Amino acid sequence: MGAVAVDPEKDFVPPSFTVKELRDCIPKHCFERNTLRSFSYIAYDLCGVAALVFCASHIHALPVYMQAVAWIAYWVCQGVVCTGLWVIAHECGHGAFSPSRAVNNITGWILHSALLVPYYAWRHTHSQHHKNTANMNRDEVFVPRTKAFRGLADKPSTEAWRLDTVFEESPLYHVAKVVAQSLFGWPLYLYRNASGPKYARGASHFNPKSVLFRSDQAWQIIVSDIGLAITAAVLVYASFVWSVGAVVRFYGVPYLMVNFWLVSITYLQHSSPHVPHYNDDEWTFLRGALCTIDHDYGWLLNTCLHHINDSHVAHHVFSLMPHYHAVEATKHLKKKLGKYYYHNDTNFLVALYRTMRYCQFVDDTGSVLFYRNTSTPLKVE
């Protein structure tokens, strides 16, 4: 790998914009929410789900040698489409789907429950993520572990942006980490707050008495659990009507694909050698919000994922903005932010592998922290 990286830490100065400055550079109509238009995207996604299920129901009629390929195609495509529905429910959780709070919550609860997501529990912790993005002590997802926490005190501490380095671990080790995190990171986050902050490690999103929630939020957590129970009951009933295998093929594997997209997208949005994390003395809401990276996956995936991947900076600064305006807003933010607008157009899978390999920990002390790893820099002759 060639030494093409530049030092993001040299002369780094945290941004000093105000929210008003950034809001004023975006056209006012970008902040308008239209309930009917938002529902049209649900209809669009549900049509996609139904069409794919219909096609999959005829896979048995294909020649045997084509059936495996057809199922893989179904799982990949259905995973993408259902991730789009997840994104719409995510928008409901922010209140960006509709001006009506009731419409947002009822719609979000139905969609997320169908995808085995505890809507209200997720909404509360996700709100804390937005309020504390890139804060080493209070952020909720993909909080970097320190070198001491990793137990790597006797190992090298090399800047993650250095590409000409030698790693002790084999590439297969990092590939395995990518696969494990992408497929199982989401259930582990919900069950025991994996990748969450120190104060809540091991806490469950399913427990109304969890440290993650206030006492007055307990009933909402119970409602979330009821939604999951209803979906589980439907899946059990479907396994009796059709078969366990059918439920796994039509729902189970696409569910894992949704996990893959959700975890991978979020990981790449908040992990990069070029983007800092802050301790309390340097952190502000806006500085944290701007520690977000947009990724372009190409027109088709960007559209199916409702642009959660390529307009995420705008979303973090203005979470009430609906996704169908975020792309336009991003163009204006990009001009305003200049070097403080972070984006990565590297191939999705390549970016996922590189980030997992190079971004291993941050230093134990400091106000502004960039990722490090235990590689050894190559000597230049």
Side-chain angles (χ1 to χ4, degrees):
M1 185 182 293
V4 296
V6 295
D7 186 354
E9 304 177 40
K10 184 179 180 181
D11 302 322
F12 176 81
V13 177
S16 58
F17 301 101
T18 66
V19 174
K20 185 178 186 306
E21 279 183 84
L22 300 186
R23 188 180 183 93
D24 288 346
C25 81
I26 299 173
K28 292 183 178 179
H29 72 266
C30 289
F31 298 95
E32 296 175 0
R33 295 165 290 175
N34 185 306
T35 304
L36 186 60
R37 183 173 181 180
S38 294
F39 270 114
S40 73
Y41 289 98
I42 294 181
Y44 164 84
D45 286 342
L46 289 178
C47 286
V49 170
L52 287 168
V53 169
F54 176 79
C55 291
S57 68
H58 291 78
I59 288 178
H60 68 277
L62 294 173
V64 174
Y65 66 88
M66 294 181 61
Q67 290 184 16
V69 175
W71 276 115
I72 291 172
Y74 167 75
W75 294 332
V76 171
C77 294
Q78 192 70 286
V80 170
V81 174
C82 288
T83 302
L85 282 170
W86 197 104
V87 172
I88 297 299
H90 158 269
E91 197 152 278
C92 292
H94 282 287
F97 182 85
S98 168
S100 167
R101 184 174 183 178
V103 170
N104 283 318
N105 286 335
I106 293 172
T107 305
W109 179 80
I110 292 172
L111 292 178
H112 262 175
S113 295
L115 295 169
L116 291 177
V117 178
Y119 172 73
Y120 286 105
W122 162 84
R123 192 189 72 173
H124 292 313
T125 57
H126 190 67
S127 174
Q128 293 305 308
H129 162 58
H130 270 258
K131 292 174 181 176
N132 299 286
T133 305
N135 184 295
M136 284 294 299
N137 302 301
R138 299 194 303 276
D139 198 357
E140 290 287 336
V141 294
F142 292 116
V143 182
R145 299 313 191 223
T146 62
K147 189 177 185 183
F149 180 88
R150 295 285 192 196
L152 300 170
D154 60 339
K155 297 290 184 178
S157 184
T158 301
E159 296 91 341
W161 55 268
R162 294 187 184 277
L163 299 185
D164 275 344
T165 55
V166 176
F167 285 84
E168 293 182 357
E169 308 93 346
S170 72
L172 288 177
Y173 169 78
H174 298 287
V175 171
K177 284 182 65 179
V178 167
V179 173
Q181 174 179 281
S182 299
L183 293 180
F184 307 111
W186 175 242
L188 287 173
Y189 170 70
L190 293 177
Y191 179 67
R192 57 184 301 274
N193 209 35
S195 88
K198 286 184 273 188
Y199 81 90
R201 286 175 192 156
S204 172
H205 281 71
F206 309 114
N207 182 2
K209 296 182 179 180
S210 170
V211 68
L212 295 168
F213 314 117
R214 303 190 310 267
S215 58
D216 62 307
Q217 296 170 335
W219 277 107
Q220 292 183 337
I221 310 309
I222 292 172
V223 171
S224 295
D225 293 343
I226 290 172
L228 302 183
I230 292 172
T231 299
V234 171
L235 292 174
V236 170
Y237 176 75
S239 69
F240 281 107
V241 173
W242 290 285
S243 71
V244 173
V247 171
V248 170
R249 290 193 300 273
F250 282 90
Y251 181 93
V253 179
Y255 167 78
L256 290 177
M257 294 303 299
V258 172
N259 290 352
F260 168 81
W261 282 110
L262 171 62
V263 173
S264 300
I265 290 170
T266 307
Y267 176 59
L268 290 178
Q269 286 167 341
H270 298 291
S271 306
S272 169
H274 300 90
V275 179
H277 282 73
Y278 296 96
N279 269 315
D280 291 337
D281 56 332
E282 281 288 348
W283 181 89
T284 66
F285 164 78
L286 192 54
R287 286 178 179 177
L290 295 178
C291 291
T292 306
I293 308 104
D294 284 346
H295 290 261
D296 184 359
Y297 299 156
W299 174 82
L300 182 60
L301 280 176
N302 292 348
T303 301
C304 291
L305 298 173
H306 301 303
H307 298 282
I308 194 172
N309 52 292
D310 63 331
S311 63
H312 208 63
V313 175
H315 169 67
H316 260 267
V317 180
F318 303 109
S319 59
L320 277 174
M321 179 185 295
H323 74 273
Y324 43 82
H325 291 317
V327 174
E328 179 183 353
T330 295
K331 296 176 182 177
H332 297 281
L333 279 177
K334 185 176 180 179
K335 293 178 182 177
K336 181 69 176 178
L337 292 173
K339 67 178 182 180
Y340 292 108
Y341 171 74
Y342 297 112
H343 65 95
N344 186 346
D345 295 333
T346 305
N347 174 273
F348 169 74
L349 293 175
V350 173
L352 196 58
Y353 171 77
R354 285 182 178 174
T355 304
M356 182 65 72
R357 186 177 191 184
Y358 286 90
C359 299
Q360 295 181 2
F361 58 85
V362 296
D363 288 333
D364 299 301
T365 60
S367 299
V368 182
L369 303 172
F370 286 83
Y371 269 109
R372 302 280 188 265
N373 58 57
T374 58
S375 64
T376 303
L378 292 177
K379 294 181 180 180
V380 179
E381 298 292 335

